[in-house]
Amino acid sequence: MILTVTLNASVDKLYLVDRMEPGTVMRVKRVVNTAGGKGLNVSRVASAAGEQVLATGFIGGFAGEYIRAMLARDGIQARFVQTDGETRSCVNVADLSTGKHTEFLEPGAQVSAAKQEEFLEDYRTLLPGCSVAVLSGSLPGGVAPDFYGRLIALAKEQGKKVILDTSGEALKRGIAFHPDLIKPNADEIRQLVRLPDGSTESLARAASQLYRSGIGTVVVSLGKKGSLAAGKEGVFLSDTPYVEVVNTVGCGDSMVAGFAVGFSRGYSFAETLRFGVAASAANAATLATGSVRPEDLKRLRPLVNIRRLGDS
Ligand SMILES: Nc1ncnc2c1ncn2[C@@H]1O[C@H](COP(=O)(O)OP(=O)(O)OP(=O)(O)O)[C@@H](O)[C@H]1O
Ligand SMILES: [Mg+2]
């Protein structure tokens, strides 16, 4: 079982418009609503890959009920702490004329100290039934930046693998607790390590440096250019298999889901990387954010090329 933590859940709304023109009225051609927040993207992809998933975090109000219903429909178990505030919505406008996406992310309601304590109590009791905990996304208002650190420490105390995928201060504080895997993108790694330039060599050095600081595996995702991974077996470069791209939002979350599945099934380092890359590319081939077709996963897995660059 994979436990996913989504502290800042949202109803994600993908709007398809013919042309994005600020300052005008735009008719939406099609709407796709999904249970969002990065952890719920991870949940759907891991579930589509065939794993049992238990989703936890905070949700509230009518939007929270809508999220529960969407998760139930997708066969994902939910054990959320109910908050007093309404769960947020995030809007992703896709301009069909350019293929560009513009995202509007609401900040999310504040979470009280009492609700945070309730969550910590639940989290401790949910861990024993799971092999991997995945901590994804931003922190809602009222939650201290070291919160993920506490969740990592609790998971490690129980001998569970833990993946952290967040940004900024939450990531900075979280890595001090040595998660088993982090997956910053190019912007996020720049928030952690000063880079002389954007070259593959500099990014590989940065990933190695973070690995040596005590993180199990550091994967830096580079969009369609692929990804770098630094772990105990060395530094590796993976390309992305070709897919007909429809929507790349959530590719990183899908990659994290693939890694969580690899951990949960006890895959080797190389197989885990391969599965993560295949899941990330499979997401790019579907319209809904954080969704993969099992047949794409199967087809793409053997097409992933992984090259060893050197020692970490
Ligand atoms: N156009 C694409 N075609 C195939 N694979 C892609 C494409 N874009 C991204 N990917 C895959 O997805 C991985 C993660 O992408 P990216 O670096 O954009 O993550 P991210 O910024 O964390 O995304 P998000 O936070 O929206 O989930 C890449 O390393 C690559 O394997
Ligand atoms: Mg990401």
Side-chain angles (χ1 to χ4, degrees):
M1 177 91 82
I2 295 170
L3 179 66
T4 63
V5 174
T6 310
L7 301 176
N8 211 0
S10 70
V11 172
D12 281 356
K13 302 177 85 66
L14 172 65
Y15 285 176
L16 302 187
V17 298
D18 279 327
R19 192 183 202 82
M20 175 79 176
E21 281 181 86
T24 68
V25 172
M26 281 166 282
R27 299 251 165 228
V28 176
K29 273 191 122 167
R30 196 169 157 202
V31 183
V32 182
N33 290 338
T34 45
K38 304 177 91 55
L40 297 182
N41 296 341
V42 172
S43 305
R44 266 193 310 284
V45 173
S47 172
E51 288 302 295
Q52 293 285 323
V53 179
L54 177 59
T56 183
F58 300 110
I59 52 176
F62 292 109
E65 287 314 304
Y66 185 33
I67 286 179
R68 275 187 209 283
M70 286 192 276
L71 293 176
R73 181 199 60 197
D74 292 339
I76 295 162
Q77 294 181 58
R79 280 283 299 274
F80 283 85
V81 169
Q82 192 73 26
T83 54
D84 304 325
E86 181 79 18
T87 287
R88 65 186 178 141
S89 294
C90 293
V91 179
N92 173 5
V93 184
D95 180 329
L96 296 169
S97 67
T98 61
K100 284 196 173 147
H101 290 250
T102 307
E103 291 188 77
F104 299 85
L105 312 180
E106 291 183 16
Q110 295 270 323
V111 177
S112 68
K115 290 290 175 185
Q116 292 178 47
E117 282 311 314
E118 191 181 328
F119 170 81
L120 285 169
E121 207 40 57
D122 274 4
Y123 176 75
R124 267 193 210 96
T125 61
L126 297 176
L127 278 170
C130 302
S131 52
V132 189
V134 184
L135 318 177
S136 297
S138 57
L139 300 173
V143 175
D146 66 354
F147 199 73
Y148 279 140
R150 295 173 72 183
L151 302 189
I152 294 166
L154 287 168
K156 293 184 84 155
E157 263 169 34
Q158 295 196 25
K160 308 297 177 181
K161 292 250 189 206
V162 53
I163 299 177
L164 177 66
D165 184 25
T166 183
S167 57
E169 202 54 28
L171 176 58
K172 236 179 240 171
R173 301 282 192 101
I175 59 174
F177 290 81
H178 302 152
D180 293 284
L181 188 145
I182 60 171
K183 192 228 59 69
N185 59 23
D187 286 340
E188 289 156 355
I189 195 147
R190 275 191 205 97
Q191 297 162 2
L192 293 178
V193 181
R194 191 182 290 275
L195 292 173
D197 53 55
S199 67
T200 307
E201 291 71 30
S202 307
L203 289 162
R205 260 197 299 278
S208 295
Q209 185 185 331
L210 285 168
Y211 160 72
R212 286 195 304 267
S213 77
I215 301 162
T217 302
V218 177
V219 178
V220 183
S221 67
L222 308 168
K224 65 174 183 293
K225 287 192 278 182
S227 53
L228 282 161
K232 71 173 188 304
E233 295 180 35
V235 182
F236 295 80
L237 181 66
S238 308
D239 64 6
T240 58
Y242 173 79
V243 291
E244 197 80 50
V245 173
V246 183
N247 175 17
T248 60
V249 180
C251 278
D253 304 332
S254 304
M255 184 173 237
V256 165
F259 295 148
V261 172
F263 279 168
S264 163
R265 295 183 185 163
Y267 284 172
S268 69
F269 183 72
E271 263 315 300
T272 301
L273 280 185
R274 198 182 299 282
F275 204 73
V277 172
S280 69
N283 174 71
T286 69
L287 184 60
T289 299
S291 77
V292 299
R293 288 181 286 256
E295 61 270 26
D296 283 345
L297 267 182
K298 197 168 162 199
R299 177 178 67 81
L300 292 169
R301 229 170 131 180
L303 302 181
V304 178
N305 286 311
I306 297 177
R307 187 158 60 92
R308 191 176 189 278
L309 299 180
D311 294 332
S312 293

